[in-house]
Amino acid sequence: MESWRRRLAESITTPEEIAERFGTDPALLAPVARRYPLRITRHYFGLIRAVGDPIWRQCVPDLQELEDDQLPDPLDEERLSPVPGLIHRYPDRVVWLVSNECAVYCRFCMRKRRVGCPGRAGDKGTVDETLRYIVGTPQIRDVILSGGDPLLLDDGQLEQILARLRAIPHVEIVRIGTRAPVTLPERITSRLCRMLRRYQPLYVNTHFNHPREITPEAARACARLADAGIPLGNQTVLLRGVNDDPAVMTRLMQRLLAIRVRPYYLHQMDLVQGTGHFRTTVKTGISIMEGLRGHTSGMAAPYYVIDAPEGKGKIPILPECATLQGDRWLLRNYRGETIEYRELVD
């Protein structure tokens, strides 16, 4: 067994293990863990300093996950899947969910409905079906591997997928979305990086949400990827009680640049069932962006976006794209459509 697999097997998976360190009542966490899976790597668990801190909130179950009435799939990903596990929302690109597994099951996950649950992602039949669709759809030039976390696949499984995608003439670039540098930095091995280097142009988007996640181990993992010639971007989710503060967000973006990771997106929380307690107002996000602009390098300023309900696409929150009327934001997407988005009453 590879060392990263051993480290993954040592993860925290029960409320009782959390209680052993922090003295919490496991009975309060058990109903949530039964509904939504629990896994925290020892590396990530070691970053928690106190109950309720920004790292705790991201990975430890909370009863509030069972209390909101949002939709399991507000972005209509299932409807936009021509074959199981492949989301075709934009004309020239697709998101391929190659894994249902993550090293840490984030409590704010946009795919709480499926991540950590048994499924067909990655089996031969599903891979063949997906590749047939991509081969038969020549307008697809960009394939984003997501999940779950694609880097929870073994090197051989991931290389088979990359090799077959590279054999399709109209697929120009491949992107991998992963939180492994944050939660399981041991996964970013020299062997993995040598393999990935063979399938350029390849881009990796990481997912750091708080400056404390940028540990020496995480920095080394990103350095290995960057040294292999792989451009790194970062997608951050705006989370109440985690990073909804201009000073925290500024420090995060500055530290990302220092480890050769370019800030890409700052996501407003999706309206996903079980995640409502993480949601901030859109005004909070705009305030944070105003705190970044001019106060630090323009390279440190990501796009602040809302992924519009019903699969309408990512919309940058800019003055010409968002107007508040009462308790509704009127958003204009890339097609010129106007979409209503309900503001949080805070």
Side-chain angles (χ1 to χ4, degrees):
M1 182 186 292
E2 291 188 73
S3 61
W4 69 269
R5 281 286 182 197
R6 288 195 297 273
R7 294 293 289 164
L8 188 64
E10 296 166 357
S11 296
I12 305 294
T13 57
T14 68
E16 287 74 18
E17 292 171 280
I18 297 170
E20 284 177 13
R21 176 177 167 190
F22 291 102
T24 50
D25 183 355
L28 294 177
L29 304 183
V32 190
R34 285 195 294 269
R35 173 81 174 273
Y36 300 115
L38 164 63
R39 180 195 276 164
I40 313 169
T41 59
R42 297 285 172 174
H43 169 81
Y44 199 70
F45 194 63
L47 302 184
I48 300 172
R49 295 176 181 170
V51 173
D53 80 0
I55 307 301
W56 172 283
R57 284 180 59 79
Q58 292 185 74
C59 63
V60 175
D62 189 309
L63 281 172
Q64 292 180 92
E65 295 176 46
L66 305 179
E67 295 171 359
D68 77 53
D69 59 357
Q70 298 181 142
L71 298 173
D73 182 22
L75 303 184
D76 266 6
E77 290 186 335
E78 304 297 337
R79 180 181 63 83
L80 295 168
S81 295
V83 297
L86 186 78
I87 304 159
H88 194 173
R89 181 191 307 173
Y90 298 102
D92 72 335
R93 54 204 183 276
V94 291
V95 177
W96 185 357
L97 308 180
V98 297
S99 170
N100 287 338
E101 188 180 12
C102 288
V104 170
Y105 292 125
C106 299
R107 311 321 298 177
F108 55 86
C109 181
M110 66 176 294
R111 298 194 180 103
K112 285 177 80 83
R113 70 187 187 276
R114 64 175 289 155
V115 172
C117 304
R120 295 176 56 206
D123 70 37
K124 186 178 185 303
T126 302
V127 169
D128 290 345
E129 185 179 11
T130 300
L131 287 164
R132 280 195 296 271
Y133 178 82
I134 295 172
V135 168
T137 313
Q139 65 264 40
I140 296 172
R141 52 173 293 278
D142 182 356
V143 177
I144 301 151
L145 302 183
S146 185
D149 195 319
L151 296 192
L152 267 286
L153 298 176
D154 291 331
D155 289 358
Q157 292 175 292
L158 183 58
E159 181 164 22
Q160 286 183 11
I161 289 171
L162 292 173
R164 294 180 72 178
L165 285 172
R166 274 283 154 258
I168 302 172
H170 57 264
V171 173
E172 297 174 5
I173 64 172
V174 177
R175 290 185 272 171
I176 296 174
T178 179
R179 194 148 154 81
V182 182
T183 58
L184 187 66
E186 302 93 334
R187 175 63 185 104
I188 313 303
T189 63
S190 298
R191 177 184 172 188
L192 171 69
C193 293
R194 286 194 300 271
M195 182 272 286
L196 293 177
R197 188 170 190 165
R198 293 196 288 270
Y199 296 97
Q200 302 278 20
L202 182 71
Y203 297 79
V204 167
N205 279 323
T206 61
H207 182 173
F208 290 84
N209 287 326
H210 192 274
R212 274 172 38 203
E213 295 175 338
I214 304 179
T215 61
E217 296 86 356
R220 284 194 294 271
C222 291
R224 281 181 171 170
L225 290 164
D227 288 346
I230 298 169
L232 300 175
N234 187 74
Q235 302 194 62
T236 293
V237 180
L238 180 58
L239 301 167
R240 180 189 292 271
V242 174
N243 56 19
D244 55 337
D245 175 89
V248 171
M249 194 67 75
T250 299
R251 186 58 180 148
L252 171 62
M253 299 305 163
Q254 290 171 336
R255 292 197 65 192
L256 285 169
L257 287 178
I259 63 168
R260 292 187 282 174
V261 178
R262 178 73 184 268
Y264 180 32
Y265 280 139
L266 172 62
H267 288 272
Q268 176 70 6
M269 275 293 304
D270 294 323
L271 308 180
V272 174
Q273 187 176 57
T275 68
H277 56 295
F278 284 106
R279 195 174 169 212
T280 71
T281 63
V282 175
K283 286 183 179 179
T284 299
I286 293 173
S287 175
I288 285 171
M289 293 305 299
E290 289 174 345
L292 287 169
R293 294 288 182 185
H295 296 280
T296 190
S297 165
M299 290 177 63
Y303 289 101
Y304 176 41
V305 297
I306 290 175
D307 216 340
E310 301 180 6
K312 298 295 185 179
K314 291 184 180 69
I315 302 167
I317 305 305
L318 302 169
E320 65 270 25
C321 293
T323 304
L324 183 63
Q325 293 188 359
D327 67 345
R328 303 275 169 166
W329 286 89
L330 302 182
L331 310 174
R332 190 171 74 247
N333 71 0
Y334 73 105
R335 294 174 176 162
E337 300 169 321
T338 299
I339 298 99
E340 289 191 3
Y341 183 90
R342 180 172 53 84
E343 176 63 292
L344 177 67
V345 179
D346 198 3

